[in-house]
Amino acid sequence: MPELPEVEALTAFLREHAVGHVVTRVDLAAVQAIKTFDPPLSALGGLELTGVARHGKFLDLDVSGLHLVVHLARAGWLHWRTGLPTAPPKPGKGPLAVRVHLDQSHGPPPASGGVGFDLTEQGTRKGLAVYVVRSPAEVPGIARLGPDALAVDRETFVALLAGRSGQLKGALTDQTLLAGIGNAYSDEILHAARLSPFKMADKLTDDEALRLHDAMRATLTEALERQVGQRAATMKGEKRSGLQVHARTGLPCPVCGDTVREVSFADTSLQYCPTCQTGGKPLADRRMSKLLR
């Protein structure tokens, strides 16, 4: 799932490559992806792309005052294209959800086709969402966002956690509490802070809360430094290469050498290191219970 560092890096990439271009056409290939109808997608045609911003994990393209807002969900991505086919795509065929055609006023024209980008989503579970709005605040998910994870100060962060009942894993990934962190980076942050994902948020000591804030900033900042400047096509690989525990079940922890463990839920999982985070004790996992005895 694209999280704060990837979406911020995509924002920087589009500022460099797309801002200043005019949207010539927008093709909708997956009807379920579009969540608004007024203004229509067609209203973007002929308007200049004037800015790009990020709100949590939402990508916001300012198109001369209208906003094309994208949430990439779990399996969505943005692909920059320099050879877009001119024929409209067939709806429901493959992972393509939306195709944005841009003018070719910048630089030499491609050898064939046009320039622009595709929004795609792999798999059968479709969550990618596209909105055309007059203000980003009209998008319900943006209106509910808590403070940005990279902008929140230590005092505010400590106060947010002190008022939150529930486990740390859930607190870090709750976008109404903190914006931008998903499943992968929450695992990485908790590992860096040496805290159990099951520890209760409102039971942290002041030292633990400050340690968690510092780990959050360091983890996200380091990931962002790796991502910014990458081509859109290489960002996913760069994310995977920097992970310490997430998606590394069964592999040795890079810090202590213990085996990275997993807790599975209905539609997701978390990874952690027992030595670094839980005093050497594996966390209960019904699906993995036979392996953990």
Side-chain angles (χ1 to χ4, degrees):
M1 175 184 292
E3 302 177 34
L4 186 158
E6 292 77 50
V7 179
E8 183 66 28
L10 284 174
T11 299
F13 178 89
L14 289 173
R15 283 186 186 132
E16 179 181 354
H17 292 85
V19 167
H21 285 269
V22 171
V23 176
T24 58
R25 194 176 90 218
V26 182
D27 296 330
L28 180 64
V31 175
Q32 73 275 6
I34 186 71
K35 306 302 180 183
T36 55
F37 61 91
D38 181 24
L41 268 174
S42 59
L44 301 174
L47 300 180
E48 181 182 347
L49 205 164
T50 52
V52 189
R54 177 186 62 80
H55 312 280
K57 292 186 282 185
F58 288 85
L59 185 64
D60 173 16
L61 289 81
D62 187 336
V63 188
S64 297
L66 293 181
H67 292 261
L68 177 63
V69 177
V70 180
H71 191 280
L72 293 167
R74 180 175 294 188
W77 196 243
L78 183 148
H79 304 267
W80 183 256
R81 307 291 194 199
T82 56
L84 283 179
T86 56
K90 294 183 179 179
K93 298 293 185 181
L96 179 65
V98 174
R99 173 168 289 159
V100 177
H101 300 258
L102 302 173
D103 71 343
Q104 298 173 18
S105 60
H106 291 46
S112 61
V115 66
F117 58 87
D118 287 344
L119 298 172
T120 65
E121 185 173 25
Q122 301 293 334
T124 57
R125 292 187 58 186
K126 301 301 183 182
L128 185 144
V130 177
Y131 309 79
V132 180
V133 291
R134 295 174 179 86
S135 167
E138 295 176 33
V139 177
I142 292 179
R144 294 192 297 265
L145 289 176
D148 193 80
L150 266 182
V152 65
D153 59 51
R154 299 174 97 195
E155 292 74 19
T156 302
F157 180 79
V158 171
L160 286 172
L161 290 183
R164 164 78 184 217
S165 61
Q167 297 170 342
L168 281 180
K169 173 74 175 183
L172 289 177
T173 56
D174 181 351
Q175 301 304 295
T176 66
L177 189 75
L178 287 167
I181 302 172
N183 194 31
Y185 287 114
S186 58
D187 285 351
E188 296 298 295
I189 290 164
L190 289 166
H191 178 252
R194 306 187 307 280
L195 290 169
S196 169
F198 285 1
K199 189 174 181 67
M200 303 304 288
D202 57 356
K203 301 301 183 184
L204 291 178
T205 66
D206 288 344
D207 176 71
E208 288 172 332
L210 293 175
R211 197 167 78 219
L212 183 59
H213 179 269
D214 292 347
M216 177 180 71
R217 286 197 61 86
T219 299
L220 295 176
T221 300
E222 289 168 8
L224 187 55
E225 288 173 350
R226 292 196 306 268
Q227 295 283 15
V228 170
Q230 296 279 330
R231 293 180 297 110
T234 63
M235 289 179 191
K236 287 185 178 182
E238 186 63 34
K239 177 179 181 176
R240 286 191 293 268
S241 69
L243 298 176
Q244 302 287 296
V245 291
H246 183 77
R248 289 177 53 88
T249 303
L251 297 175
C253 168
V255 175
C256 71
D258 194 2
T259 300
V260 173
R261 305 289 187 114
E262 177 175 305
V263 176
S264 299
F265 304 98
D267 60 352
T268 187
S269 63
L270 65 83
Q271 287 80 40
Y272 69 99
C273 170
T275 295
C276 292
Q277 297 175 254
T278 60
K281 182 179 179 181
L283 298 172
D285 181 0
R286 293 176 184 175
R287 296 189 186 187
M288 303 286 287
S289 59
K290 293 182 179 180
L291 300 177
L292 299 181
R293 287 173 183 168

